């Protein structure tokens, strides 16, 4: 069993408990009372060509363990927004990442920029759940889905007015995601089956992504230089978490990353 398989097994167990507590019909009713999703593509690929920062609220990870306590995720998200982040990523997976839907609610209430629900989506219920809790973006991991589910999940996210961040780890997955209708494609340097990080992954995959699709670089960022390198390789946006939550001054850390994204390519 790979790390991804193990994570998904836990996700399904926790999901079953939530489904027993809140029905799909109840979720759909909740969605009718939620504000419309924000436009994501224009924010992540602005006309001025600046490479955007997606800043993540991240307490821990399977590879590093505990990263930061983050007692007030909304406060951290507000700092990210103040620092110039274009969007906020909120981990809602509990077992390996220490996140929750309550974190998503708190962040959505605080910020005026798009919010990403970052989790391991394996059923349509989770997509409705994301919208009911105010998400504008939903992570869809190609490696976790067969082609039928990949196509239907991306379509459902878009039908609900949200944007799918379709995550790939190699060229084959990127092509599958694009064929399934991805408007925003993430290229993750971290192999979710082994947790190894290879920063060269982005360069190996980016050429299959058309200019009409927002290209997001994910994982491995440890400094503004890494941000700049991703920008020069063709990223429209860069998703980062660990480097921000472990910095003693997250406001300055975000500002430094945003500044790197504005440098000439």
């Amino acid at each position: 069993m790979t790390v991804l398989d193990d994570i998904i097994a836990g996700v399904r167990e926790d999901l079953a408990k939530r489904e027993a507590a809140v029905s799909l019909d109840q979720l759909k009713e909740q969605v009718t009372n939620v504000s419309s999703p924000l436009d994501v593509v224009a924010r992540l690929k602005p006309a001025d060509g600046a490479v955007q920062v997606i800043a993540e609220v991240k307490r821990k990870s399977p590879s590093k363990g505990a990263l930061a306590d983050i007692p007030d995720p909304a406060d951290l998200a507000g700092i990210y927004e103040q620092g110039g982040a274009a969007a906020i990523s909120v981990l809602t997976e509990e077992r390996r990442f220490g996140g929750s839907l309550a974190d998503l609610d708190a962040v959505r209430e605080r910020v005026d920029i798009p919010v990403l629900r970052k989790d391991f989506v394996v059923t349509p219920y989770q997509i409705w759940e994301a919208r009911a809790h105010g998400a504008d973006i939903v992570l869809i991991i190609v490696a976790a889905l067969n082609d039928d589910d990949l196509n239907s999940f991306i379509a459902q996210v878009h039908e609900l007015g949200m944007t799918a961040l379709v995550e790939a780890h190699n060229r084959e997955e990127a092509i599958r995601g694009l064929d399934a209708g991805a408007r925003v494609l993430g290229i993750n340097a971290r192999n979710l089956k082994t947790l190894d990080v290879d920063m060269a992954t982005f360069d190996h995959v980016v050429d299959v992504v058309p200019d009409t699709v927002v290209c997001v670089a994910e994982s491995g960022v440890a400094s503004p230089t890494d941000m700049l390198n991703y920008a020069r390789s063709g990223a429209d946006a860069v998703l980062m978490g660990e480097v921000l939550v472990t910095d003693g001054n997250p406001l300055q850390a975000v500002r430094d990353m945003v500044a790197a994204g504005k440098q000439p390519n």
Side-chain angles (χ1 to χ4, degrees):
M1 177 179 286
T2 69
V3 175
L4 179 60
D5 292 333
D6 186 51
I7 292 173
I8 289 176
V11 165
R12 289 188 182 278
E13 290 181 14
D14 295 338
L15 175 60
K17 296 175 184 177
R18 297 200 304 276
E19 288 177 314
V22 180
S23 71
L24 180 58
D25 286 341
Q26 287 175 304
L27 278 182
K28 291 181 178 180
E29 178 62 28
Q30 291 175 23
V31 166
T32 63
N33 297 315
V34 177
S35 298
S36 299
L38 298 174
D39 180 16
V40 171
V41 171
R43 293 171 187 250
L44 295 185
K45 196 168 186 173
D48 65 6
V51 178
Q52 303 299 298
V53 171
I54 303 173
E56 190 158 85
V57 176
K58 186 176 186 179
R59 291 189 174 88
K60 61 181 184 178
S61 74
S63 61
K64 296 288 185 68
L67 298 172
D69 288 338
I70 312 182
D72 189 343
D75 183 61
L76 180 59
I79 289 171
Y80 287 161
E81 183 177 29
Q82 181 184 352
I88 308 295
S89 171
V90 182
L91 281 150
T92 58
E93 196 279 334
E94 299 179 28
R95 299 189 183 202
R96 297 296 192 98
F97 294 90
S100 69
L101 287 166
D103 288 349
L104 183 61
D105 291 336
V107 171
R108 173 71 287 162
E109 182 68 22
R110 176 65 65 89
V111 302
D112 295 320
I113 55 179
V115 175
L116 161 68
R117 182 194 182 179
K118 193 175 183 186
D119 209 317
F120 297 79
V121 173
V122 290
T123 74
Y125 180 94
Q126 293 163 286
I127 298 172
W128 283 99
E129 200 174 44
R131 183 80 285 269
H133 287 268
D136 306 289
I137 317 168
V138 181
L139 181 69
I140 301 293
I141 301 174
V142 175
L145 303 169
N146 60 41
D147 284 342
D148 287 343
D149 285 343
L150 180 63
N151 279 272
S152 65
F153 287 8
I154 292 173
Q156 184 181 349
V157 170
H158 292 165
E159 285 168 7
L160 287 174
M162 297 182 291
T163 300
L165 170 54
V166 182
E167 181 176 285
H169 304 84
N170 54 48
R171 293 172 68 86
E172 179 185 2
E173 290 178 7
I175 292 168
R176 285 181 61 206
L178 292 167
D179 288 346
R183 301 169 188 166
V184 179
L185 187 88
I187 301 173
N188 196 343
R190 186 180 301 281
N191 184 324
L192 290 182
K193 296 181 180 180
T194 65
L195 299 184
D196 293 334
V197 174
D198 181 0
M199 296 286 283
T201 299
F202 188 87
D203 290 328
H204 294 157
V205 178
V206 65
D207 65 290
V208 306
V209 185
D211 290 340
T212 54
V213 172
V214 177
C215 189
V216 180
E218 304 177 40
S219 296
V221 175
S223 70
T225 298
D226 294 326
M227 172 76 177
L228 183 58
N229 287 339
Y230 271 143
R232 288 173 172 167
S233 291
D236 297 305
V238 181
L239 191 156
M240 60 190 73
E242 180 181 340
V243 67
L244 302 179
V245 301
T246 59
D247 191 289
N249 187 344
L251 177 59
Q252 189 59 50
V254 172
R255 284 175 171 166
D256 289 345
M257 294 296 182
V258 170
K262 291 179 179 178
Q263 292 187 36
N265 293 339

